[in-house]
Amino acid sequence: KENIDLEYLKGGTEIYELNDKTIELIKNNQKPDNVKIINLIKSIQKQAEENSGDLILISLQDKAQAIQENYEDRIITTEEALAQLENNIKEHLEKERKKKEKGFDSLTFFINSLLEENKIAESEKLAKEMIESFSKYPNWKASEKETRELRESLYFTVLTQVDDVDYACKLIDNLFNILIKANENLAR
């Protein structure tokens, strides 16, 4: 078979809670690595469903889905998929710690993390400015006009730190893609 379809692999599904012990549990588990991959992806999906408004988890779920697709298409090996999933979980746990440390709400922290990941200078200051834009357009989820105006405001805010207009557009598009997924999850 050309592709690997994770849905049809046998070996049982074990759902893990994503915490500091998760990686150790997986490493010590005697199941084959392909089953560990399935279990990790399902664990991430389950936790994202249970916490449907958590933007950091939705972002982790997107990354896990990309890893799953690359694995199923044999673009990456079993070892690479497992290592990438483990690294993403470690990053997720670190982000959760930082979020508590900084005392940010979910949206502010997510925007700050997105800016940091994209190596944008003064990410905390910029994240707070972007949050101000969200408060100026409280009906952005229901109003196309407010959504356009919010996007425009966010673009201009990002452009204070980024010279590349295309890069700024991609950054804001990525932000909105995750926000839209979060809103869809909350609507379920």
Side-chain angles (χ1 to χ4, degrees):
K1 188 175 175 185
E2 252 178 58
N3 303 22
I4 301 168
D5 191 347
L6 292 184
E7 294 300 316
Y8 297 105
L9 282 174
K10 304 253 187 252
T13 301
E14 217 175 306
I15 302 295
Y16 300 103
E17 184 177 333
L18 302 180
N19 59 36
D20 292 327
K21 297 175 185 169
T22 305
I23 303 299
E24 204 55 43
L25 280 170
I26 291 158
K27 285 183 179 177
N28 293 333
N29 191 318
Q30 297 303 310
K31 295 194 177 188
D33 285 349
N34 61 349
V35 174
K36 291 177 185 180
I37 291 168
I38 296 166
N39 292 343
L40 276 175
I41 290 170
K42 294 216 179 275
S43 297
I44 291 167
Q45 289 170 340
K46 184 175 189 295
Q47 196 154 343
E49 286 170 16
E50 290 173 355
N51 300 285
S52 58
D54 187 331
L55 300 170
I56 301 292
L57 263 175
I58 292 170
S59 178
L60 176 63
Q61 182 182 18
D62 286 349
K63 291 174 185 175
Q65 186 176 350
I67 292 167
Q68 178 179 346
E69 289 168 7
N70 287 339
Y71 180 63
E72 287 175 351
D73 294 340
R74 295 185 183 242
I75 294 170
I76 58 175
T77 66
T78 302
E79 292 77 20
E80 290 169 328
L82 192 56
Q84 288 176 17
L85 285 166
E86 288 175 359
N87 286 336
N88 286 337
I89 290 170
K90 286 177 188 174
E91 287 174 12
H92 168 74
L93 295 172
E94 183 58 30
K95 286 178 181 179
E96 287 296 330
R97 276 191 279 285
K98 281 184 181 178
K99 179 181 167 187
K100 286 179 186 167
E101 209 175 86
K102 292 180 185 264
F104 284 165
D105 64 81
S106 184
L107 182 58
T108 306
F109 184 77
F110 177 73
I111 291 171
N112 182 57
S113 295
L114 184 65
L115 295 171
E116 283 179 350
E117 285 173 12
N118 286 279
K119 307 210 182 332
I120 308 294
E122 299 184 42
S123 60
E124 278 189 42
K125 178 181 171 253
L126 205 58
K128 290 175 183 174
E129 289 174 18
M130 291 171 78
I131 291 300
E132 287 176 24
S133 294
F134 278 93
S135 41
K136 287 179 190 171
Y137 304 101
N139 299 316
W140 70 270
K141 294 176 193 173
S143 164
E144 285 185 33
K145 180 180 184 252
E146 281 203 22
T147 301
R148 272 192 313 275
E149 290 171 352
L150 173 60
R151 276 183 179 264
E152 185 178 303
S153 176
L154 295 174
Y155 288 129
F156 287 124
T157 302
V158 169
L159 287 171
T160 64
Q161 295 296 324
V162 175
D163 293 332
D164 185 344
V165 174
D166 290 334
Y167 189 72
C169 288
K170 286 179 186 174
L171 188 69
I172 299 305
D173 287 346
N174 185 22
L175 171 64
F176 270 88
N177 288 338
I178 292 171
L179 290 173
I180 289 166
K181 279 185 186 177
N183 288 326
E184 287 171 355
N185 289 346
L186 287 172
R188 286 186 207 161

